[in-house]
Structure formats: C-alpha cells, structure tokens
Amino acid sequence: MYYFDHSATTPPFNEVTDTVLEVMKNYYGNPSSLHQFGIDAEQLMRRARHVISESLDVNGEQLIFTSGGTESNNMAIKGVAFQYQNRGKHLITTEIEHASVYESFKQLEQLGYQVTYLPVNHTGQVSIEDLQNALTDETILVSIMHVNNEVGRIQPIKKIASLLKKHKRIFFHVDAIQSIGKIPLYPEEWGIDLMSVSAHKLNGPKGVGVLYYRKGIKLFPLLSGGGQEAGYRSGTENVPLIVGMAKAIRISMDKQKGNLEHLYRLRKKLTDFILQIPELKLNGSVDPEHMAPHIVHFSFTGMKSEVIVHALEKKGIYVSTRSACASGESKASRVLKAMGTSENNANSGIRISMSAEHSVEDIDTLCNQLKQVVHDYKGFTK
Amino acid sequence: MKPDYILLRLGELTLKGRNRSVFENRVLTHIRDFLKSYPNIQIIKNYGRVYIQLNGESFEGIAEQLKKIFGLVSFSPVKKVDTELEAMREVSLELMNNLVPKPNTFKVNVRRAYKHFPHDSQELNHLIGGYVLHHTPGLKVNVHEPDVILKVEVREEGTFIYSETISGLGGFPLGSSGKSMLMLSGGIDSPVAGYLAMKRGMKLEAVHFHSAPFTSERAKQKVIDLAKELTNYSGKMKVHIVPFTEIQTQFNEHARKNLIITFMRRAMLRITEKLAEKNGNLGIITGDNLGQVASQTLSSLNVIGRATGMPILRPLITMDKNEIIKIAQDINTFETSILPYEDCCTIFLPKNPATNPNLGLVERIEDSMEWLPQSIEDAVENTETIIVSNQEEEKLSHLF
C-alpha cells in the first residue's frame, strides 16, 4: 500500500496514539475542577501549551486550543472581523485559500463586510504589489495561506508580514496548516498576528488544532460559555487530544529540518518524471524553492481526475484530486482556475502528497504505475 | 553567520582579588550545568579569557541559557579564522554583511597579541577596515560614535573576529554569598525578592505556608510553579511546604482579631528560622515592601522581626510597585503570581489589622498561648519538602 495523500491527513505517530490513550484512561479529570484530578488535567494542558509554544517558537500564553484547522481559521477571521468592525469593514484574502478561510469570508460578505480576493499568477503566487494596492484605510485583516493545500505553492509570508508591519491597524492571519512541520515559519519573529495549525496534518490526532495570536490582539469569541481558553473558546478542553497534538507538533518540528532535504529529493524525482511525460502537465512553479517539499500537483489533460485516482487505487496507490474537503464537488478546482488553468486541465488535477517516511523506491513505484495508467488511459481523453 | 566560539566576560569578579579563581570556577560550573544538553561544547580558559568552543552546537540555544547565568556580565559570538590577512578580511566583511539591522557607520579595533604578524595594529585597522568599506556600499567609518565596532584579535593560533556584545545578568555567581530561606507566598513580590537575592550570589531554599482546606491545591501548585521559574536561574531548589492550618485556626479562635496578622507572621518567622537552621541557611529573605500592607509598616516590621534573631533580608523594601512588577515580568513570574487563588495570608484577614502593634503586648499574649511552641514544633516536623527543578518533572515526560 502506498499512501500519497498526506495533505488530506496523516497517520498518527505511534507515540501520539500511545499518549492519547494513556491520557484518556488516566487523566480524565476536567481541567477546571478544583480537586486533584482537575489539577492533574490542567497541568497536562499547561505542559502541552508549553511544549507547543517552544516548538512553534512563540509565547505560550497566546495559544487557543480548537477543534482543528477549520475552527482555527474561522476563529481568527471572524474573531478579528467582529471584534474590530468599528475600525473598518474591509478584509483581504486570496482566491486560492482553503474552503474554511474562503467560505468564512463569503459569510462575512453577507454580513456587510467588503472583501478583496487577491488574484494569483499562473504559478499560484500572490503579488505583493496587488496586496499593497488593495490596502485601504478601512482594512482590518489580511488572511493569506502559507502553503496552498492543493498545488503546494508557497506564498511570500515573510515579505507580506514586513509590509503589513507598517500598517499597525491591520492584522495578518496565516493559515499554516499545510506548512507547519514541513517548512520553516517563524510567526513571532516575522510579525504574524494569527496563525492556524491543525494536528492531523502532522501525524497528530484529528479533531484538535491550535490558533496562535499575538499578544494584544482581542478576538470576538465564536463559542460562549464557561470561559475556557481565556474566554476565547468555551467548552471543556479535550485533554487527550491536546496532549497528543503537543507531542505530534514537537516530533514534527524536531524532524522538520532533517526531513526537508529528503522530501525535496523525492519531489524532484517525481517532478522530473512528470515533466518527461507529454500527457502530464505540472502545476505550480517549476522552481522547487517556490513549492512545498511534500506536495506535487499535475493535470492529465482531458482525463477526469477521479478516473486516475481510482485507476491508481486499483494498484494500491492512494492519491487525491485536490483538497479532500472538496473532492465530492464536481466543479473544476477554484484554485486551478484562479491560476489561469483551462477548464479542461482544472478538471484533470491530481495531487500527490508525500511524507518523509517515503523512500526513493516508493517514488519509483509511483512513477512506474503512473506511467502505466497514462499509457492505458490516454486514448480515452476528451 | 555561525560563530565558532563564545567569548565570556565575568565582570564584577575582577574586583575579588585572590578569590577570583574561586568565583570564576563557580560561574563556569554553573554554566557547565546549564549547558548539559550541548555535549559537544568545550569551555576553555586561555589567553586570560574564557571561551566556549561551540564545535557545531547552536549559538542561539546556548545564548538563551547564558542570559540566565549570574556573574556573567556579557558575551560575544566569535568567528575564528587563520591568522592570515585574506581570511581576516573575508570573514570581517561577511560578519559585517550579516548584521541586522545594517549599520551605517563602523570602525575596526585590532588587537595584535601575536607580535610576529607582519602588519601592526594600525596597518591592520586600515587593511581590514578599507576592505570592508570598499565592498559595502553606503557604509562609512566613524571612529568616535560608530554603530558597530568590529573587533579583531590577532593571535598565533588563530584570529578572533566579533562585533556583537550581548548583556548577561551580571551580579555574583550563585552560591558565592551563602544560602538563605526565601518566604514564598505566591504573590508578586516574594519571587522577585528571591531573584534579587540570587543575583547577589545567594543560594535559596523556599518556604511556603499552606492552609488546606482553606487554601486550595492550586495555590500550592502556584508556589511550586513560581519556584520552578526561579530555578531557571538556579538549577534546583528545595521547597518546604509547611502545614499552617492548625496554627492559623488557633489564632483565629484565641487572639485579638486585629493582631492576627502580627501573630501569624511571627509564627511563620519562627518556623522559617527552625527550617533554616535545620538546612544550614543563614538568613531569611522576604518580599516585604515598606507600607504596602499592615504588616509592612515600620512598626509592624519591628514587632514581627523581633521573633527571630536571624538576619531578615528584604530586597524590595524601598522599591516602587511598578519596579517590582517590571522585574516579575522579566523573570516570568508575573503571570503566575496574579492567578487568583486564596493564600494563607488572605484567609482570616481582619477588617482592621494593627498597623502599629505594641511589642510588649504582643509578647505577653504570645506567652499566654501555651499551645503555640508545640504547634510550631509540629508544623516544622510535618513540613513536606520537595525539590523542584527547571528540568520538567520526569513523571509525565513520556507523554510529551
């Protein structure tokens, strides 16, 4: 079995499942309870906070535990939009954001906010100039993803952050869900105000995530109740998953540096292969420095993506079409269309997302099978 | 640019004459202890200087640790090159180019300890400075008030180049001024008092008075957490948790309400004194600050202080609250200190505590409390002592 859908989700580390099980069994106290069981659970939470903040190189007080990436993104965007609406009602994002960001902005439009969706070039990159031109006196939030979940394009977050530093009234949110644990990102140092992370994208449990927010920012809470998480996210904390997430983030960040070179080697092998096959078209930038090391996206022109997914599945190879969350849709990919890809190509996208556990031989196998599939199906393209 | 060495400056120690090497060794032992997780480093005492040879270990991580060492005034990341003009020039330029923010002005300061090097210091200033200047657009020389001083130390075995100086904590090395007992309440002041005492070279043990069930487990945990923050500077610390409920409830039943605080503080001092003696401590440190609360008027301090013959040190006595809070924030105890748990000093608090207690009266009433000496003995006897350290407790480490 060859699993190449790590951008959809990753298998949890064994160390993580062990941790979750042990905490669930032995530390079931409510962290808000007064007695020892409560204190034990609270201690675990505090330590998890500490471990995560050390790993992400941020201040530990400014972390909100959430139910995952979607909630982190919603909380950042709506939290800022609602809290600071008196300052202005203009928001900026891009056309290629994940649905949890994109749809949040669509909702805010219905509530009377004005949203600028920045275009991207054919490689999937946002232009700093466009961003600069879009800024107005009414702008309160810019939300731009670090690594695109579909094609793997990296956005120039550091440059954007330094541009926005000159605009003290504007908050900068980064959806780092596909990048944390894969490529370097220094939220505090670069001046990122809010950053979303999801545990299951880096071999942690599903159903848990974290939102980092810079000191001094206030967020309008989306969930009201007992006032957990400094009042920003009420609800009894999911201690086992939070502790499991801390472990997954720590391990991933420890490994990140060592994995980077290996992943880029795998990526190069795969892209070199794709560039040789005339029926396949590589999406994103050809410069590997612009691309996340673990994601490769290409189109088999004229062939419906789903057909390829199933053809490879028969051979024990698991890939995806684009964002797993949107796979059910029959419409062409919004991201590919934003990159100026033709409707035909946008309907034919395949995403390969790797992990550092993969070997060069695994990629060889993938390439051979892919070659076979292209050979078998090229007669059926539209 | 990755440095090869860190140059350490052990300031105040130079004043210490013949004791100097004792003090120096104490700092170095402390440093070694704090840098245990960097097995490849070597500490070198050489050329009348102290260096850490990094051998590939991360400068940033080590620098963070060095900022917590008392007795270390400052340190510099240093690049070592062959004692050869071309190499000196190249690395000087690279080092200047890597500075953030970019300096507008600089000067070169060469020290030629290796007198056989063909160019003397003056020539080298020009040869290196000119080269850097020529290759860096916009940079200017300013010998009076440069943004950056590029220091080049020429020695036979290699030339050391650096420009950056990072401040350390200063003060005296830990343990060079003896050992004291810190009365740690959980408020903002006492951890700061402990920190300042440590900065003057004192080693600390902490004592905390716990009044379960009137005070919660969380209040106790809070004090342990505060002690843990202090161990970021000291490595390890004993915390004595004294069961104080019995004595407090007795006072509450039998003593005049307005004098309860006075009696309580005197009992605490007596218990602390006994614990101090048991553990070889020669002083008591408190977070007292003149005039903050009823027990901190001069008159109260007098009556309370008479309960012990041991020196009571009060590092905060004349400080402003803002200054104290500033330090608490710097040493990372503030956020913990302000957590709202009841502690032993706030329960049974009378409405009108005496700010001007009468020593004779207090002593007379105490004499009539026949139960008191035994209760103090019991409290000392039943004190729980735990050791906290900045190495997170091992018990749960496998979960993370």
Side-chain angles (χ1 to χ4, degrees):
Chain A
M1 197 273 277
Y2 295 88
Y3 181 75
F4 288 109
D5 200 10
H6 283 262
S7 289
T9 194
T10 53
F13 292 128
N14 288 338
E15 297 95 316
V16 169
T17 49
D18 289 350
T19 285
V20 173
L21 183 68
E22 187 179 336
V23 175
M24 206 173 229
K25 273 185 164 171
N26 300 334
Y27 301 94
Y28 49 80
N30 184 326
S32 301
S33 292
L34 288 173
H35 47 64
Q36 194 62 46
F37 275 109
I39 293 177
D40 288 347
E42 190 198 23
Q43 282 288 92
L44 284 175
M45 294 256 307
R46 284 176 47 186
R47 201 141 152 199
R49 214 179 278 282
H50 180 74
V51 167
I52 294 172
S53 59
E54 292 255 292
S55 302
L56 301 180
D57 215 356
V58 298
N59 186 326
E61 300 301 318
Q62 277 78 52
L63 296 176
I64 305 171
F65 295 131
T66 66
S67 65
T70 293
E71 188 184 327
S72 293
N73 281 337
N74 271 267
M75 182 181 286
I77 294 161
K78 293 176 192 169
V80 167
F82 295 156
Q83 183 71 35
Y84 294 96
Q85 53 184 318
N86 293 333
R87 279 194 193 176
K89 289 186 125 185
H90 180 239
L91 316 165
I92 299 175
T93 186
T94 79
E95 290 181 352
I96 58 160
E97 295 301 311
H98 183 265
S100 57
V101 169
Y102 194 78
E103 296 301 328
S104 292
F105 281 107
K106 287 284 169 201
Q107 272 186 323
L108 288 169
E109 278 184 302
Q110 288 173 15
L111 295 174
Y113 289 82
Q114 264 197 330
V115 182
T116 302
Y117 298 89
L118 297 174
V120 294
N121 66 14
H122 70 283
T123 73
Q125 197 197 16
V126 171
S127 114
I128 306 253
E129 215 183 348
D130 285 348
L131 170 61
Q132 197 150 15
N133 292 337
L135 298 175
T136 71
D137 290 345
E138 295 287 298
T139 312
I140 55 171
L141 173 72
V142 173
S143 174
I144 295 179
M145 68 197 332
H146 189 200
V147 165
N148 178 267
N149 56 303
E150 222 167 298
V151 297
R153 184 66 162 95
I154 300 172
Q155 300 300 335
I157 295 301
K158 192 179 178 182
K159 282 189 189 150
I160 296 171
S162 81
L163 165 71
L164 291 175
K165 260 186 202 164
K166 293 174 206 135
H167 302 266
K168 296 260 176 271
R169 291 160 39 92
I170 303 176
F171 298 113
F172 182 33
H173 167 242
V174 173
D175 168 358
I177 291 163
Q178 289 292 350
S179 74
I180 281 291
K182 305 296 188 303
I183 58 174
L185 178 62
Y186 304 99
E188 215 161 71
E189 192 188 317
W190 291 0
I192 292 168
D193 298 311
L194 302 123
M195 179 178 83
S196 306
V197 177
S198 169
H200 79 104
K201 303 289 189 189
L202 34 73
N203 308 88
K206 290 174 189 61
V208 64
V210 67
L211 175 67
Y212 158 76
Y213 63 107
R214 187 175 50 73
K215 207 173 184 150
I217 293 186
K218 286 201 174 70
L219 295 170
F220 188 91
L222 303 186
L223 299 178
S224 330
Q228 287 90 342
E229 294 297 287
Y232 287 140
R233 207 274 185 184
S234 290
T236 301
E237 298 90 341
N238 194 335
V239 183
L241 297 192
I242 287 168
V243 178
M245 167 165 70
K247 193 172 211 172
I249 292 179
R250 181 187 61 73
I251 296 175
S252 300
M253 295 306 273
D254 285 351
K255 286 183 170 179
Q256 173 174 294
K257 216 173 157 193
N259 285 345
L260 202 61
E261 205 184 316
H262 174 64
L263 277 169
Y264 269 119
R265 204 175 315 129
L266 299 185
R267 188 176 195 285
K268 180 166 189 328
K269 193 162 180 61
L270 183 56
T271 52
D272 282 353
F273 166 80
I274 290 166
L275 290 169
Q276 275 174 29
I277 309 274
E279 287 80 7
L280 303 184
K281 186 187 164 294
L282 191 64
N283 294 316
S285 171
V286 284
D287 184 344
E289 278 191 15
H290 296 160
M291 304 299 292
H294 61 300
I295 302 177
V296 172
H297 195 276
F298 61 91
S299 298
F300 183 176
T301 314
M303 178 58 59
K304 263 190 90 172
S305 316
E306 209 186 319
V307 178
I308 312 298
V309 171
H310 292 310
L312 285 169
E313 188 176 358
K314 273 193 193 151
K315 298 169 183 289
I317 292 176
Y318 298 87
V319 304
S320 64
T321 56
R322 45 169 140 150
S323 160
C325 317
S327 294
E329 291 176 30
S330 54
K331 278 189 289 183
S333 152
R334 164 169 55 81
V335 174
L336 288 176
K337 281 165 79 174
M339 288 164 59
T341 312
S342 69
E343 182 85 20
N344 208 4
N345 269 343
N347 275 322
S348 318
I350 298 289
R351 178 181 70 181
I352 311 280
S353 42
M354 303 169 288
S355 96
E357 302 297 310
H358 285 123
S359 64
V360 175
E361 289 73 37
D362 294 340
I363 302 300
D364 282 335
T365 310
L366 169 66
C367 292
N368 288 333
Q369 299 294 354
L370 195 55
K371 197 172 183 175
Q372 192 63 46
V373 170
V374 172
H375 178 263
D376 292 348
Y377 288 82
K378 65 181 171 192
F380 301 98
T381 53
K382 277 185 223 165
Chain B
M1 188 160 144
K2 266 186 108 166
D4 311 312
Y5 289 84
I6 303 174
L7 166 63
L8 306 178
R9 295 183 198 82
L10 312 172
E12 285 189 65
L13 311 184
T14 52
L15 303 171
K16 286 285 159 189
R18 279 195 304 171
N19 287 333
R20 182 183 165 154
S21 73
V22 177
F23 277 61
E24 205 171 85
N25 287 337
R26 222 184 261 278
V27 183
L28 294 185
T29 311
H30 195 186
I31 289 177
R32 250 181 226 117
D33 219 38
F34 265 52
L35 297 180
K36 255 190 218 140
S37 50
Y38 301 91
N40 295 326
I41 58 159
Q42 264 171 295
I43 296 182
I44 300 169
K45 280 164 74 176
N46 209 349
Y47 333 126
R49 284 263 170 97
V50 185
Y51 289 94
I52 297 175
Q53 187 173 347
L54 290 171
N55 295 321
E57 296 280 14
S58 128
F59 169 72
E60 286 74 18
I62 290 172
E64 277 315 303
Q65 292 301 315
L66 291 179
K67 287 180 194 162
K68 299 173 186 165
I69 306 281
F70 293 119
L72 180 62
V73 170
S74 68
F75 57 95
S76 293
V78 174
K79 197 79 193 156
K80 185 185 178 189
V81 300
D82 290 342
T83 295
E84 184 228 308
L85 183 60
E86 229 15 72
M88 293 177 198
R89 284 172 145 182
E90 285 301 326
V91 169
S92 296
L93 177 64
E94 204 185 331
L95 194 142
M96 288 296 293
N97 279 337
N98 277 307
L99 290 179
V100 182
K102 284 228 169 302
N104 293 317
T105 58
F106 85 119
K107 78 168 183 182
V108 180
N109 186 340
V110 175
R111 252 184 67 191
R112 191 184 59 148
Y114 173 48
K115 299 295 177 200
H116 296 295
F117 192 71
H119 307 284
D120 69 20
S121 313
Q122 274 312 316
E123 285 170 23
L124 278 172
N125 275 339
H126 284 285
L127 287 169
I128 296 171
Y131 183 82
V132 171
L133 205 58
H134 184 70
H135 287 87
T136 317
L139 187 66
K140 289 199 183 81
V141 173
N142 181 341
V143 288
H144 302 296
E145 279 186 328
D147 295 346
V148 168
I149 302 177
L150 182 70
K151 295 194 174 157
V152 181
E153 243 180 68
V154 183
R155 296 181 179 274
E156 187 171 3
E157 57 287 333
T159 294
F160 296 91
I161 304 179
Y162 63 93
S163 66
E164 213 182 330
T165 297
I166 300 161
S167 297
L169 285 181
F172 289 124
L174 205 71
S176 60
S177 312
K179 212 167 84 168
S180 279
M181 194 68 94
L182 168 69
M183 297 177 73
L184 196 57
S185 69
I188 296 168
D189 297 345
S190 51
V192 174
Y195 169 79
L196 292 175
M198 287 198 293
K199 190 169 176 182
R200 293 325 281 173
M202 234 176 269
K203 232 177 141 38
L204 298 184
E205 295 184 15
V207 56
H208 177 67
F209 294 87
H210 188 55
S211 310
F214 297 104
T215 57
S216 79
E217 282 299 301
R218 276 190 166 76
K220 179 170 146 190
Q221 187 59 48
K222 177 173 154 181
V223 166
I224 293 171
D225 290 343
L226 288 172
K228 221 179 264 170
E229 286 297 340
L230 292 178
T231 64
N232 280 325
Y233 303 90
S234 66
K236 234 192 253 169
M237 191 186 288
K238 268 190 193 172
V239 180
H240 305 280
I241 312 264
V242 181
F244 202 54
T245 322
E246 162 77 16
I247 292 175
Q248 263 190 311
T249 43
Q250 291 274 13
F251 281 142
N252 196 46
E253 277 168 38
H254 299 119
R256 280 170 50 178
K257 291 275 183 276
N258 66 335
L259 283 177
I260 277 184
I261 298 284
T262 313
F263 289 127
M264 225 173 71
R265 301 291 297 179
R266 283 172 62 94
M268 286 176 175
L269 274 182
R270 291 197 175 107
I271 293 168
T272 304
E273 181 189 85
K274 284 181 195 293
L275 287 169
E277 280 167 355
K278 251 175 131 175
N279 289 280
N281 292 276
L282 298 176
I284 296 171
I285 316 253
T286 74
D288 285 325
N289 177 249
L290 200 58
Q292 262 198 122
V293 292
S295 62
Q296 296 175 351
T297 60
L298 188 56
S299 166
S300 275
L301 289 171
N302 174 38
V303 173
I304 293 165
R306 298 292 181 106
T308 174
M310 214 173 238
I312 304 174
L313 308 182
R314 303 177 172 98
L316 312 184
I317 196 71
T318 61
M319 284 173 99
D320 288 346
K321 195 74 190 177
N322 292 342
E323 298 173 65
I324 300 171
I325 288 176
K326 172 77 177 54
I327 301 175
Q329 285 167 336
D330 288 346
I331 63 172
N332 215 11
T333 55
F334 184 71
E335 294 289 329
T336 307
S337 285
I338 57 174
L339 292 173
Y341 307 123
E342 194 118 55
D343 67 41
C344 61
C345 302
T346 52
I347 58 167
F348 308 134
L349 192 67
K351 277 208 188 70
N352 298 303
T355 51
N356 188 14
N358 179 309
L359 181 60
L361 176 68
V362 166
E363 284 177 344
R364 240 175 304 140
I365 300 175
E366 260 176 11
D367 283 343
S368 71
M369 295 175 175
E370 280 160 18
W371 53 272
L372 187 57
Q374 188 56 49
S375 292
I376 285 177
E377 287 302 328
D378 290 347
V380 172
E381 193 58 38
N382 295 320
T383 291
E384 177 197 2
T385 298
I386 54 178
I387 293 176
V388 304
S389 81
N390 57 342
Q391 318 290 328
E392 290 272 339
E393 52 289 43
E394 288 306 300
K395 199 182 82 169
L396 295 173
S397 287
H398 67 284
L399 292 174
F400 296 88

